[in-house]
Amino acid sequence: MREVGVPDEDLARIEIMLPFAALANTVPMLFWLVCHVFSRRELVERLRREVQAGMVVKPLHSEGGNQTTSEVGGEEGGAEVVVNVAAAVVEEKCPLLMSCYRETLRRTVHQVSTRTAVQDTVLMDRDGREYLLKKGSVVQMVIGAGHGMEEYWGEGVDEFDPERFLSRKGDGEDGPGSSKAMKTAFQPFGGGMHLCPGRAFAFAEMMAVMATLLLGYDIEPLEGSMWELPAFATRSVIDAVTKPANHGEGFGLRIRRRLGWEGVRWKYEL
Ligand code: HEM
C-alpha cells in the first residue's frame, strides 16, 4: 500500500481494524459455542469421547473411553497432553464437534456484507422479478437472513441442533436440510474476494479452547444447575457475530479443573 502512495496515517487506520476483526467475532462466537455445548450434559460426554479419541495426539495411558484418572495429570506434574487442532483432523475425527461449531456459526453470525457494483448488474429472484444494480451503487447483503430460513434448514430452524450438520441429505438431493440448500444458505465467513482471511486462525483458536475445556474442565452455571442462556443483543452492522444482550451481565459460569486432569500441561499443534 505504501508503494501505491497510501499515507502512514491511513495505513494505521487500516491496521487498527485487524485486532478488531480478530477479537470482535471470535470471542462472542466462542462464548456461544461454550454455552450451547456445556448446557447439554449428554453432549459434553459424547464430545469428550470424540475429542479424546480424535484430537489428542500423544496416546494416553488407558484405552479409549473417557479418561479421568490421575494417570493423565493429577495434582502435580501431570502428563503433557498434545491436541491437534487442524481443520482436516477435526473434520475427519470429530464430526460432532464440527457440527456444533457450524451450528453455532449458523445461529450467531448475522453479518452484513457490503460490496460496490463494479458494472450494471441484473439480479433475478426466484419469481422471475429482475433488479438492476447500477454501477457504483453500494449493495448490502444480510448473511444471517439465509441462516434462519426454514426453506433451507427445515423445521426447528430457530433451535440449536448439535447434529444438524451431521445429518445432511445426500449431494444429489434438494430441499430443506439438503447439502445443496445448506451450502447456498451457509455463509458465516462471507464469500468471494473478501472472504474472511482469519477464518482458519479463528477455527484453530476456538478448537484449542474447546478441546481443553472439554477434556480438562467442568463448567456449570453459578446458581443451581439450570442453564439460562442470555438473549441476543441488538445486532450491529459492524460485527459478524451477535453478542449477548447487556454484554452478558448477570450471566456467569463456574469453571473447575476436572478430577484427574488438574496437573495437565496443554500443547497444541496444527
Ligand atoms: C468466528 C470468527 C470470525 C467470523 C465469524 C468472521 C466473519 C467475517 C465475515 C462475515 C467477514 C466479511 C466477509 C465478506 O464481506 O464477504 C469477515 C471479514 C474479515 N475478517 Fe473475519 N471473522 C472471524 C474471525 C476473524 C479473525 C480471527 C480475523 C483476523 C485474525 C479476521 C479478519 C477479517 C478481515 C481482515 C476481514 C476483511 C476482509 C476483506 O474485506 O477483504 N476475522 N470476517
Side-chain angles (χ1 to χ4, degrees), residues 209-244:
V209 176
M210 282 307 284
T212 308
L213 290 179
L214 279 163
L215 295 177
Y217 292 81
D218 286 314
I219 302 184
E220 56 193 35
L222 277 184
E223 304 291 337
S225 59
M226 284 297 287
W227 282 74
E228 263 185 57
L229 268 51
F232 282 138
T234 308
R235 281 155 198 167
S236 128
V237 176
I238 295 176
D239 299 327
V241 179
T242 306
K243 297 190 166 82

Side-chain angles (χ1 to χ4, degrees), residues 113-190:
S113 282
T114 307
R115 301 286 190 273
T116 305
V118 291
Q119 58 189 52
D120 285 358
T121 307
V122 177
L123 297 182
M124 190 188 289
D125 69 17
R126 77 191 110 184
D127 302 321
R129 265 188 303 253
E130 291 188 342
Y131 301 85
L132 170 64
L133 303 177
K134 295 284 284 178
K135 180 178 173 179
S137 53
V138 174
V139 184
Q140 292 198 301
M141 298 164 286
V142 187
I143 291 175
H147 289 179
M149 286 166 81
E150 203 172 308
E151 62 191 272
Y152 291 117
W153 304 94
E155 278 176 31
V157 67
D158 295 328
E159 303 299 320
F160 179 90
D161 175 359
E163 298 187 10
R164 187 183 301 279
F165 285 84
L166 288 181
S167 52
R168 285 191 261 185
K169 290 188 208 159
D171 276 344
E173 295 184 54
D174 223 331
S178 65
S179 294
K180 194 173 160 196
M182 291 193 187
K183 224 171 165 179
T184 311
F186 189 55
Q187 309 280 343
F189 294 102

Side-chain angles (χ1 to χ4, degrees), residues 17-27 29-30 101 105 109 111-115 141 143 187-199 201-203 205-206 240-241:
M17 278 298 291
L18 252 188
F20 178 79
L23 295 172
N25 294 321
T26 315
V27 174
M29 163 66 194
L30 190 54
Y101 168 74
L105 283 171
V109 173
Q111 160 84 10
V112 178
S113 282
T114 307
R115 301 286 190 273
M141 298 164 286
I143 291 175
Q187 309 280 343
F189 294 102
M193 243 172 115
H194 297 281
L195 176 68
C196 173
R199 63 197 184 287
F201 181 70
F203 177 83
E205 283 183 305
M206 286 187 272
V241 179

